[in-house]
């Protein structure tokens, strides 16, 4: 029992928690932007796969790391535009289209991977982002290494959360975006285009999802392999609800989830073979469902979420 | 740009879906060109691999069998707007029940054991979906996320079983179950070939689902709930009970697919029993426009692409993932085609 508690006071645990949370922060923010504008984006899982590959492959082919991040973002935005085109002006089912985008992005990625690297058996590694210690701050106990000795990619995740919060609540664009998800008629009455705002939001949100995927290959695992996203996208959809569509709460939710995930890995070491390892691996998914059950009754969905907007229709 | 409802002419209702398939093949051709191979040659190999011989055709029908079951599961659920993305998990639970009961635990003659396993598996699959359905009706939890997450939980659960209680002691350490006993096996439809009774059961299931949706009170209530749950409730339809029954039927159908794969084809349970049949079932159902009999046709079409692409990939070096790309593209283009038949685009 004492050993299970001691885990909480090791720096490596908190470092891992924040590292695990980083890709989730990007992707959760991405989904949050889409949903705040009124569009559910179930393409998230596939877009993360595509982003993970695009970023990794750019660096593998000789590009530098930040170029990789940019390429991943553009890849995500492209899939986002497709999702937006089909669901916003054409009004296709957001559920079905999202699943379709996930299937398309995943299979296109695997196809490209096999085409580009036909012979490899073990995935090649790249020179990924290195931890960058921030002087003085990194020397604080526990919090220091966890927050100030991560890779620049993690710092970007925190910056993205701040930026999204500022955009949503402090700018006219954010107001328009939120209106698109709450009351699109009011937005149209202002002379703004619901279609344009929603399309833009889905493209931008999808770019963030892809950057989250790229974190996996460029800051966590250093190589690309199949199944590496492994349901993280779906977890992020749960995190958006858990964070009640607010960037700050979503950030906290992601870190909480990261801490839980890091904890279950370490707990396996303490408990040993007494409990099958699969039980620990299940816990994050079970936790996501439980979190949904806990908050869903009082969740306040964006009112126009999943409602296609047709001008002049009531 | 806006959409204006219209009634399409008969020519248009045929033309747009055909255009959707043309677009799908055009996109695939582009990808094949990237691989440096002639698209026409590749499509010819895919076709021959799927339907060029008796062996190929039977293989396609064998592959279509689980897809008919998952396609029907999705059809039933989506008709009532219950977004069951968890057919993958329900299929695996069906397979688990099959090996739990079918590897010697129950000694019974074939005529009793086969239906017993099928019913128990369907119940388990149905209950697996009933959970998310109840969470939706009682707590307002979105069933998309819960069914998706359950796919991962169930796969880990199967892994746990295959490395623990269900592990085959003679399996040389591989995570696989024992083989089902002879009395639990489903007979082959063609002597000496892989096509098995599951295909016939799948067609019967499609007929049954069609009758239920089109002719029964429950089917009517399911469609009403799917069209407009608030109006259905106002009309006195017990919406929550209809959704619960929908979940039981949908999950049961997917689970039956798992039974068929184990009892009819593989003989035992492994972690790679399903290469995403649950997810592909969504494509199958949508290509069939959620019509149960159409599901049979679209499952055979989708299975043909997969079987043909495997054969093609062995002959020329184009990755077989082209099959997944094509089915996903078909899903999106077909959805677009349907919008175009129902609406006219006004640019101003």
């Amino acid at each position: 029992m004492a050993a299970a508690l001691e885990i909480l006071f090791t720096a490596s645990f908190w470092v891992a928690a924040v590292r695990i949370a980083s890709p989730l922060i990007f992707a959760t923010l991405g989904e949050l932007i889409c949903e705040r504008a009124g569009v559910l984006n179930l393409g998230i899982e596939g877009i993360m796969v595509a982003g993970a590959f695009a970023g990794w492959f750019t660096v593998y082919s000789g590009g530098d790391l930040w170029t990789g991040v940019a390429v991943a973002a553009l890849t995500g935005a492209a899939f986002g535009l497709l999702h937006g085109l089909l669901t916003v002006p054409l009004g296709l089912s957001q559920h079905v289209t999202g699943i379709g985008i996930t299937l398309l992005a995943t299979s296109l990625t695997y196809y490209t991977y096999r085409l580009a690297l036909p012979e490899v058996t073990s995935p090649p590694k790249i020179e990924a982002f290195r931890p960058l210690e921030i002087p003085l701050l990194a020397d604080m106990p526990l919090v220091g290494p966890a927050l100030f000795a991560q890779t620049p990619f993690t710092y970007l995740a925190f910056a993205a959360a701040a930026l999204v919060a500022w955009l949503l609540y402090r700018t006219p664009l954010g107001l328009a975006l939120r209106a698109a998800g709450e009351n699109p008629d009011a937005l149209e009455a202002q002379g703004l285009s619901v279609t344009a705002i929603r399309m833009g939001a889905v493209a931008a949100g999808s770019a963030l999802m892809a950057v989250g995927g790229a974190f996996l290959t460029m800051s966590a695992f250093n190589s690309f392999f199949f199944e590496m996203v492994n349901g993280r996208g779906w977890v992020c959809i749960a995190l958006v609800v858990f964070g009640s569509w607010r960037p700050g709460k979503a950030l906290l939710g992601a870190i909480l989830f990261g801490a839980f995930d890091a904890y279950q890995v370490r707990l396996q070491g303490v408990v040993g073979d007494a409990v099958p390892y699969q039980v620990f691996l299940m816990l994050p998914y079970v936790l996501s469902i439980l979190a949904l059950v806990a908050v869903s009754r009082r969740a306040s969905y964006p009112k126009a979420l999943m409602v296609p907007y047709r001008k002049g229709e009531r | 740009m806006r959409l204006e409802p219209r009634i399409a002419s008969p020519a248009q209702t045929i033309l747009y879906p055909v255009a959707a398939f043309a677009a799908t093949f055009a996109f695939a051709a582009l990808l094949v060109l990237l691989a440096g191979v002639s698209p026409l040659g590749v499509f010819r190999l895919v076709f021959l691999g799927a339907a060029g011989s008796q062996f190929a055709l039977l293989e396609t029908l064998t592959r279509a069998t689980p897809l008919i079951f998952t396609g029907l599961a999705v059809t039933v659920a989506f008709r009532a707007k219950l977004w069951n993305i968890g057919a993958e998990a329900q299929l695996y639970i069906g397979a688990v029940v099959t090996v739990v009961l079918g590897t010697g635990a129950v000694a019974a003659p074939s005529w009793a054991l086969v239906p017993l396993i099928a019913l128990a598996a369907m119940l388990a699959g149905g209950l697996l979906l009933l959970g998310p359905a109840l969470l939706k009706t009682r707590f307002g939890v979105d069933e998309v996320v819960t069914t998706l997450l359950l796919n991962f939980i169930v796969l880990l659960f199967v892994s746990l079983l295959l490395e623990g209680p269900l592990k085959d002691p003679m399996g040389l350490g591989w995570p696989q179950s024992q083989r089902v006993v002879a009395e639990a096996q489903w007979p082959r439809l063609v002597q000496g070939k892989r096509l098995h009774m599951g295909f016939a059961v799948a067609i019967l299931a499609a007929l049954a689902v069609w009758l239920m949706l089109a002719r029964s009170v429950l089917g009517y209530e399911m469609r009403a709930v799917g069209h407009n749950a608030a109006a259905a409730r106002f009309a006195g339809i017990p919406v929550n009970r209809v959704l619960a029954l929908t979940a039981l039927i949908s999950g049961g159908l997917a689970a039956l697919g798992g039974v068929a794969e184990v009892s009819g084809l593989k003989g035992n349970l492994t972690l790679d029993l399903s290469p995403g049949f649950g997810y592909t079932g969504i494509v199958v159902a949508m290509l069939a426009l959620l019509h149960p009999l159409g599901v049979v046709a679209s499952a055979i079409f989708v299975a043909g692409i997969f079987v043909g692409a495997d054969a093609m990939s062995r002959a020329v070096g184009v990755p077989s993932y082209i099959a997944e790309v094509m089915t996903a593209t078909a899903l999106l283009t077909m959805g677009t085609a349907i919008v175009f038949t129902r609406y006219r685009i006004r640019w101003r």
Side-chain angles (χ1 to χ4, degrees):
Chain A
M1 196 60 216
L5 275 177
E6 269 171 30
I7 294 171
L8 293 175
F9 299 100
T10 58
S12 77
F13 162 72
W14 288 103
V15 173
V18 173
R19 187 178 60 232
I20 293 169
S22 302
L24 303 176
I25 295 171
F26 283 114
T28 306
L29 289 170
E31 182 68 35
L32 185 145
I33 292 176
C34 297
E35 293 192 15
R36 266 301 175 97
V39 181
L40 174 73
N41 190 350
L42 293 180
I44 183 168
E45 180 86 5
I47 291 171
M48 286 181 81
V49 175
F53 175 76
W56 172 84
F57 192 64
T58 305
V59 178
Y60 177 73
S61 325
D64 75 82
L65 286 164
W66 290 110
T67 312
V69 176
V71 170
L74 285 176
T75 310
F79 282 109
L81 275 179
L82 181 60
H83 183 66
L85 181 70
L86 294 174
T87 54
V88 180
L90 293 181
L92 263 69
S93 156
Q94 296 181 5
H95 285 111
V96 176
T97 308
I99 296 289
I101 296 284
T102 281
L103 293 175
L104 180 67
T106 310
S107 55
L108 264 180
T109 303
Y110 290 178
Y111 182 82
T112 314
Y113 180 87
R114 276 272 170 267
L115 212 57
L117 306 141
E119 304 297 331
V120 297
T121 43
S122 67
K125 284 191 184 309
I126 56 165
E127 201 60 41
F129 280 101
R130 291 170 184 284
L132 178 74
E133 283 192 22
I134 295 175
L136 294 179
L137 290 174
D139 297 332
M140 286 192 285
L142 294 185
V143 186
L147 293 181
F148 303 109
Q150 299 277 0
T151 67
F153 213 154
T154 293
Y155 303 140
L156 183 66
F158 284 92
L163 181 71
V164 169
W166 176 75
L167 266 174
L168 275 181
Y169 295 107
R170 292 281 183 274
T171 66
L173 182 66
L175 182 65
L177 193 149
R178 285 183 288 136
E182 294 285 346
N183 190 347
D185 281 320
L187 189 64
E188 202 78 26
Q190 291 282 316
L192 294 167
S193 161
V194 175
T195 308
I197 298 233
R198 284 188 172 174
M199 292 272 295
V202 176
S206 302
L208 276 174
M209 296 169 189
V211 169
F215 185 94
L216 295 173
T217 49
M218 300 175 68
S219 194
F221 297 109
N222 307 356
S223 57
F224 176 85
F225 47 91
F226 290 7
E227 320 281 332
M228 77 184 307
V229 175
N230 203 15
R232 283 184 176 82
W234 313 133
V235 168
C236 290
I237 298 212
L239 282 174
V240 172
V241 183
F242 183 70
S244 49
W245 291 270
R246 288 172 174 276
K249 284 186 178 176
L251 175 76
L252 283 180
I255 293 176
L256 207 67
F257 184 91
F260 186 81
D261 205 17
Y263 189 74
Q264 62 88 6
V265 172
R266 281 157 182 78
L267 199 61
Q268 282 183 51
V270 176
V271 176
D273 288 344
V275 180
Y277 69 92
Q278 290 96 340
V279 172
F280 292 101
L281 292 180
M282 276 181 212
L283 286 176
Y285 303 116
V286 176
L287 179 81
S288 302
I289 293 180
L290 291 179
L292 277 182
V293 175
V295 302
S296 275
R297 215 199 278 261
R298 53 195 167 78
S300 54
Y301 285 76
K303 284 205 177 53
L305 181 62
M306 288 188 272
V307 184
Y309 181 74
R310 300 222 168 88
K311 214 185 285 187
E313 239 178 48
R314 281 172 188 282
Chain B
M1 175 190 146
R2 65 197 172 88
L3 302 175
E4 205 175 77
R6 69 154 167 212
I7 295 168
S9 69
Q12 283 167 328
T13 50
I14 296 173
L15 192 69
Y16 287 124
V18 169
F21 279 112
T24 303
F25 277 91
F27 183 55
L30 203 72
L31 292 176
V32 169
L33 275 176
L34 282 180
V37 187
S38 142
L40 284 180
V42 164
F43 289 147
R44 187 175 153 270
L45 284 175
V46 170
F47 179 77
L48 290 179
S53 63
Q54 190 210 24
F55 171 81
L57 258 178
L58 289 177
E59 201 53 33
T60 296
L61 297 183
T62 310
R63 183 76 73 95
T65 302
L67 291 178
I68 298 176
F69 284 114
T70 54
L72 289 173
V74 172
T75 299
V76 168
F78 279 23
R79 275 290 185 101
K81 290 241 163 65
L82 178 71
W83 301 105
N84 173 18
I85 323 286
E88 188 81 0
Q90 293 136 25
L91 182 138
Y92 268 105
I93 283 299
V96 165
V97 171
T98 308
V99 294
V100 165
L101 297 177
T103 49
V106 182
S110 193
W111 61 264
L113 190 56
V114 167
L116 173 78
I117 290 175
L119 286 175
M122 288 181 76
L123 185 65
L127 289 176
L128 186 65
L129 184 54
L130 186 63
L134 287 180
L135 287 182
K136 173 195 170 90
T137 52
R138 293 286 166 82
F139 297 98
V141 181
D142 186 28
E143 73 278 21
V144 172
V145 187
T146 45
T147 52
L148 274 167
L149 290 170
L150 272 174
N151 288 340
F152 292 86
I153 295 173
V154 166
L155 209 60
L156 284 164
F157 177 64
V158 173
S159 159
L160 186 159
L161 291 176
L162 291 181
E163 288 179 15
L166 289 183
K167 184 172 182 167
D168 179 9
M170 312 299 279
L172 303 170
W174 288 102
Q176 61 181 40
S177 78
Q178 284 181 286
R179 297 188 66 81
V180 293
V181 295
E183 289 81 12
Q185 277 172 17
W186 289 16
R188 298 281 148 112
L189 281 185
V190 185
Q191 199 65 42
K193 296 287 193 295
R194 277 154 51 93
L195 188 67
H196 54 87
M197 188 180 81
F199 183 68
V201 176
I203 297 210
L204 288 177
L207 281 169
V209 169
W210 174 62
L211 278 177
M212 182 202 67
L213 279 175
R215 293 278 178 274
S216 78
V217 174
L218 178 63
Y220 171 78
E221 290 178 337
M222 283 158 78
R223 286 180 288 134
V225 170
H227 274 300
N228 188 336
R233 185 170 282 127
F234 186 71
I237 293 176
V239 173
N240 290 356
R241 203 175 74 199
V242 170
L243 282 174
L245 285 170
T246 306
L248 286 174
I249 296 170
S250 171
L253 284 165
L256 199 51
V259 181
E261 278 299 281
V262 173
S263 301
L265 189 63
K266 301 284 173 62
N268 66 354
L269 173 58
T270 54
L271 267 178
D272 58 359
L273 179 78
S274 162
F277 289 136
Y279 302 102
T280 312
I282 298 171
V283 181
V284 167
M286 294 312 294
L287 287 184
L289 308 182
L290 300 185
H291 193 294
L293 299 182
V295 163
V296 176
S298 82
I300 293 173
F301 172 74
V302 168
I305 289 186
F306 274 91
V307 172
D310 278 346
M312 176 278 298
S313 186
R314 282 192 296 270
V316 291
V318 178
S320 61
Y321 286 109
I322 193 81
E324 273 98 336
V325 177
M326 284 180 76
T327 48
T329 311
L331 173 69
L332 298 175
T333 54
M334 188 55 96
T336 312
I338 299 309
V339 170
F340 278 96
T341 54
R342 286 182 191 158
Y343 297 95
R344 175 181 291 129
I345 308 266
R346 290 274 188 223
W347 291 100
R348 284 180 301 115

